[in-house]
Amino acid sequence: MRIRRGQRLAPWLVAAAGLLLVFLVANFRQVAGRATPIWDADLGFAPYYTLVADYARAGRLLLWNPWTNAGSPDFADPQVGALSPVVVAIGAATGGHLAGFRVYWLFMWFLAGFGILVLGRHLQAPAWGASVAAAGFLFSGFLVGHAEHTSWLYSFAWFPLMIWRLDEALRSGRWRPCFEAGALWGLSGVAGYPGVTCANGIFALLWAAGRWICPWPVREATATSPEDSPTKTMAFASLARTLRSITILFIVGILVMSPTYLGFLVEGRGFSDRADPLPREEAIGSNALHPLALTTVFSPYLGSLPPRTLWPYTDLSSASIYMGAVVLWLAMVSLLARPRERWRWWLLGVAVLATGLSLGRSLPLRGWLYDLVPPTRYFRHATLFRAYTIFYFTTLALIATADLASERASTIRRWRFTVPAAVLAIAAVVSFYVVRSMAIDDSGPIRVFRGQALLWGIWLGILTISIVVGWGTAGARATVPAALVFLAALDALAAQRLPLTIEDRNPALVDAWRQVDAKHDARLDLTSGGTYRAAAVEDPDADWVSNKNLPVKSPVLRGYSGFSNRFHEAWVKDRFLRSTAIGDSRFWFAREVGRVVPSDASFKAFARRSNSLHAISLLIHAPGAMMQISRAGEPTPTDATDRAVIEALPPAERIPVSVVRYRSEELSFEVMTPSEGW
C-alpha cells in the first residue's frame, strides 16, 4: 500500500489550521468567556499572570511582589514567569485581565501540538499523519490533566520543538540548531515547573544517546520525490557530534534560565523551604502513578474517574496516560512494520523507562534517579515522567505514518496492521469495564454513556481501518488518511470533554471573575492604600486561598504561592500572630530585641510568648543566618539559650506610622518613637 503525501508547504498549513480549528472548538467555552480556568489556574496562575502583565505594560519586570504572603521575591519563582520573554510579551500585548491569561494559556497549550506537526515534518511524516499524532498529543492525558497547572503545560510545550532542533543538529552536524535547541530548553524553564524543565533535559539527552547508538534510514533522492525513495543507507550521529550538540544545548539552556534559577537558589534560600532538596521519600512517593492507572492508556474516561477507590495516592490531574487511541495503534504498527530498526525499539525503551520513573512507589527507578541526578531531588510528582511516555509513543506514531506514505508500505505484512488493532481493542474493552466496576463514579449516566460510546466507536473504527489497510482495495485504502484524521479529531474532542481538570462552567464563578476584572487596578504604587493588609482574599483558615487580590492590588498575608515557608504558614495559622500582621496597625516598636538563631524551636517559643503576653516581642538575627536555617524539626545548638532570651523579652507595642511612599521595591514612612529602639 502506498499513500502518497504532498511535499509542498500547503498541506502543512492546512494541517496546522485544522489542528487549530479542532483545538478552538474543543475549548470554545474558554474562547467565548463562558467558563473559567479551574483549581490551580483559577487560584494562582491566572492572577499571577495579571500581575506580570501589569508590570509589562508599565515597562518593568516583576521582582518583588508586596501583595502576596506579606511580600515575596517572585522573580525567583520559576512558575510565575516574571522573567520569561514569552509571558512578558503576551502580557504586554493583552494586559492584566482574565482574557489575556486565556490567550497565553491556550497559546502555550496549542504550541505543544504545533511542535508535533513541526517534528513530524522533520521526520518525513505526511501532513495528515502529523495531524493525527498532534491531535492525540494535544489532548493527551498529560496536557489535558495538567491544563490547570499552567507552569507544567508551559515547560512541556517547548519539548517537541526542542527535540526538533536537537535532532536537526545531530543529523546535519550544523552548530546553529544546537544553540536553538538550548534556547528552547532555557525558555521551557523561565516560566515552567522545575521538575518538567529538568526532565526535558534528561529526555533530550536520551534522544541524543539513541541517535548515537542506533542508526536511522537515509533516503536517496529520485527525480520524482526524494522522500519516497527506498532506503539505501543507514546513518549514525558520531560521538563527537553528539557530545558537541548536547554540551551546547545544556550551556545555552542554563544561561537562558540562569537569572530565574540563580534567584531561586540564592534569594529563595532562607525565604522558602522549596529552595532546599526534598526528602527522598517525598520526592519518590508524592503523587506517584498507581499501577492500575496504566489502564488509562485505553480511554480518557478512565483517567477522569474519582481516584479515591482506584489510585488514592495519584492526583486526578496526574492519573491519565491517554495519548489518543489512533496514536497508540500507530505506535504498535511502527514497531512491527520495521522490527529490525533499532531506533524504534530505543524509542519504546525510553517510553518504558519514563513509565517506570512515574511509578515511583512501585519501582525503584525514581529513587535511583534521585540518588544519581541531584537536580531531581528538588521536585516531587513522579507522575510528570509519563509526559515522555506519551511523547515517545507519539514519535513512533509519526514514524508509522511515514511508513504508510512510503514506497515500501506494500511490503508490510497485513497482519502487522490488524493484530495490534485487535489486541489493543480487546485490552481496551476489558480494562474499561474492569476498572469502571471498581470505581465510584457519581457523575451521572450521560457521562458514562459518552465514555462507552467513545470506547466502542474509536476502537471499532481503528479495527476497521486496520482491515482496510491490509485487505482493502486501492480505492478503499486511499480513504485511510482522511478516516484516521477524522477519527483522531473525534477522539481529541471527546478526550477534552470527558476529564474534569480543564475548566469550571459555574456561572457564579464566571461572574466572580468578571467582577475581579472590573475592579482591576494596573497601578504598581501602594501608597494610596496606606499600610492596610488583609489576612486573605477568602477565609484565611481555609485549605486553599486564591491570589485574586493581585488584579485589584490588595496586599494579603496569605496567598497562593509555590514559595512555601513553614514559619509563615505557622504564623498565619496562629490567630493572634495573624492579627499582629494585618489591618492598618501592623507596625510594632520595641526598646529591646532578642538576637536568636531562626529555628523551629525559636519560633515555637516566640509563638508561646506572644500568645501569653497578647503582644509580640521583636527578634533579630544576622542576614547570613537565613541561609543556614535548619530543616524542619532539626534542633540547633542554641535552642535552649534562644528560648531563654525570648522568654525574658518585654512586649513590643503597636505604633502608628505615616506612609510617604509604598512601592514594590520601596517602603518609606514617618514615625514618632518614644525612644531609641527597633
Side-chain angles (χ1 to χ4, degrees):
M1 184 196 75
R2 178 169 179 248
I3 303 173
R4 183 176 293 276
R5 57 186 177 221
Q7 301 308 316
R8 296 172 292 112
L9 184 60
W12 293 95
L13 294 177
V14 172
L19 185 67
L20 178 61
L21 178 62
V22 171
F23 181 72
L24 294 178
V25 169
N27 291 289
F28 76 94
R29 285 187 173 84
Q30 289 296 333
V31 175
R34 291 165 52 187
T36 64
I38 200 169
W39 300 330
D40 285 30
D42 172 63
L43 298 175
F45 292 113
Y48 259 122
Y49 173 85
T50 67
L51 184 62
V52 175
D54 286 338
Y55 270 85
R57 282 273 176 105
R60 298 167 57 188
L61 294 175
L62 170 63
L63 300 177
W64 178 265
N65 168 12
W67 294 281
T68 300
N69 289 356
S72 176
D74 284 340
F75 85 96
D77 184 352
Q79 299 188 78
V80 171
L83 302 185
S84 166
V86 176
V87 181
V88 171
I90 298 177
T94 62
H97 293 85
L98 183 61
F101 173 75
R102 287 192 178 104
V103 171
Y104 162 66
W105 177 39
L106 295 177
F107 171 77
M108 293 310 307
W109 187 354
F110 180 74
L111 182 65
F114 180 77
I116 294 296
L117 284 180
V118 174
L119 181 62
R121 192 167 191 263
H122 169 75
L123 296 176
Q124 300 181 354
W128 63 263
S131 297
V132 169
F137 188 77
L138 193 58
F139 294 97
S140 63
F142 183 86
L143 291 174
V144 170
H146 294 292
E148 56 154 325
H149 301 135
T150 316
S151 61
W152 289 51
L153 197 143
Y154 175 96
S155 284
F156 192 54
W158 299 100
F159 188 66
L161 294 173
M162 174 185 166
I163 292 296
W164 163 51
R165 299 320 294 153
L166 174 61
D167 199 61
E168 176 61 26
L170 295 169
R171 283 171 174 255
S172 67
R174 294 188 293 121
W175 290 67
R176 179 176 174 180
C178 305
F179 287 92
E180 292 169 342
L184 289 167
W185 183 49
L187 275 176
S188 78
V190 293
Y193 181 64
V196 179
T197 301
C198 179
N200 282 349
I202 293 172
F203 283 89
L205 179 62
L206 291 172
W207 180 285
R211 283 303 198 193
W212 171 52
I213 295 171
C214 305
W216 67 82
V218 176
R219 305 181 191 280
E220 291 188 355
T222 66
T224 56
S225 177
E227 294 178 1
D228 284 339
S229 302
T231 299
K232 297 296 185 182
T233 59
M234 305 296 284
F236 290 85
S238 68
L239 178 60
R241 181 186 298 180
T242 302
L243 292 176
R244 183 187 68 195
S245 300
I246 286 296
T247 300
I248 293 175
L249 183 153
F250 281 112
I251 291 175
V252 173
I254 290 171
L255 288 175
V256 170
M257 67 178 80
S258 60
T260 298
Y261 279 84
L262 284 176
F264 173 76
L265 294 172
V266 176
E267 298 293 337
R269 188 172 299 278
F271 180 88
S272 172
D273 298 330
R274 294 294 286 117
D276 293 315
L278 294 171
R280 192 176 190 274
E281 295 73 18
E282 184 177 357
I284 295 171
S286 176
N287 196 26
L289 190 68
H290 193 284
L292 185 61
L294 295 176
T295 58
T296 60
V297 73
F298 298 116
S299 170
Y301 172 80
L302 297 182
S304 67
L305 290 171
R308 57 186 179 273
T309 57
L310 294 173
W311 28 79
Y313 58 77
T314 305
D315 187 76
L316 177 64
S317 66
S318 307
S320 178
I321 58 171
Y322 192 66
M323 61 191 71
V326 178
V327 169
L328 180 61
W329 171 63
L330 287 173
M332 296 299 101
V333 169
S334 177
L335 294 169
L336 295 175
R338 302 282 182 262
R340 295 184 180 180
E341 283 190 16
R342 286 185 289 169
W343 171 240
R344 304 186 189 214
W345 294 99
W346 178 270
L347 294 175
L348 176 65
V350 176
V352 171
L353 172 64
T355 306
L357 287 168
S358 68
L359 295 167
R361 292 196 183 189
S362 305
L363 294 175
L365 296 176
R366 178 65 181 97
W368 295 344
L369 188 68
Y370 180 97
D371 297 332
L372 297 173
V373 185
T376 66
R377 300 172 187 175
Y378 283 84
F379 56 85
R380 52 177 69 90
H381 305 297
T383 52
L384 70 85
F385 291 105
R386 78 192 195 284
Y388 306 93
T389 301
I390 295 169
F391 172 81
Y392 277 86
F393 267 92
T394 302
T395 304
L396 284 169
L398 288 171
I399 295 173
T401 62
D403 291 335
L404 291 174
S406 71
E407 292 281 4
R408 301 179 66 198
S410 58
T411 65
I412 302 174
R413 296 182 180 181
R414 296 172 178 177
W415 67 267
R416 294 179 178 175
F417 298 106
T418 54
V419 169
V423 171
L424 290 173
I426 293 171
V429 171
V430 172
S431 298
F432 184 93
Y433 288 102
V434 169
V435 173
R436 188 177 176 275
S437 68
M438 301 167 60
I440 299 175
D441 185 9
D442 51 7
S443 58
I446 294 179
R447 191 164 169 278
V448 175
F449 172 77
R450 288 177 179 172
Q452 292 178 324
L454 175 65
L455 172 77
W456 288 99
I458 291 296
W459 285 106
L460 286 176
I462 290 173
L463 192 58
T464 302
I465 289 173
S466 72
I467 295 172
V468 171
V469 171
W471 283 273
T473 64
R477 292 197 301 270
T479 66
V480 167
L484 285 175
V485 170
F486 173 78
L487 208 60
L490 184 66
D491 193 13
L493 292 171
Q496 196 272 0
R497 300 291 292 164
L498 283 169
L500 308 172
T501 55
I502 297 175
E503 61 191 16
D504 198 316
R505 305 166 198 166
N506 186 336
L509 294 179
V510 175
D511 185 63
W513 255 110
R514 288 174 181 160
Q515 293 180 32
V516 170
D517 276 338
K519 298 175 183 177
H520 173 247
D521 184 355
R523 294 176 300 170
L524 306 179
D525 193 316
L526 297 83
T527 307
S528 61
T531 61
Y532 179 78
R533 179 194 289 151
V537 177
E538 297 89 2
D539 179 5
D541 293 313
D543 291 337
W544 300 100
V545 295
S546 78
N547 282 332
K548 292 179 183 176
N549 61 300
L550 294 178
V552 300
K553 304 299 184 294
S554 174
V556 297
L557 180 63
R558 185 191 177 200
Y560 186 94
S561 174
F563 263 7
S564 60
N565 178 293
R566 64 185 186 273
F567 301 120
H568 171 262
E569 292 171 354
W571 192 296
V572 172
K573 290 178 181 178
D574 188 303
R575 289 180 177 271
F576 172 71
L577 290 182
R578 184 199 309 163
S579 70
T580 67
I582 61 176
D584 289 308
S585 182
R586 57 181 179 87
F587 287 74
W588 295 76
F589 173 80
R591 295 172 177 82
E592 208 178 317
V593 297
R595 297 178 181 272
V596 301
V597 173
S599 66
D600 293 87
S602 295
F603 184 84
K604 289 179 181 178
F606 165 76
R608 285 195 302 269
R609 177 72 171 169
S610 299
N611 276 276
S612 65
L613 295 175
H614 209 65
I616 62 172
S617 301
L618 297 193
L619 306 176
I620 64 173
H621 52 261
M626 294 292 288
M627 305 291 287
Q628 301 171 1
I629 292 180
S630 61
R631 290 182 178 273
E634 288 184 0
T636 64
T638 61
D639 281 347
T641 304
D642 290 343
R643 190 181 305 114
V645 169
I646 293 169
E647 291 174 352
L649 281 175
E653 57 185 288
R654 294 182 188 267
I655 189 169
V657 302
S658 177
V659 173
V660 176
R661 177 175 293 180
Y662 192 1
R663 296 180 178 175
S664 60
E665 69 281 2
E666 176 188 4
L667 170 60
S668 59
F669 54 88
E670 295 177 347
V671 60
M672 292 293 294
T673 63
S675 66
E676 293 183 350
W678 284 261

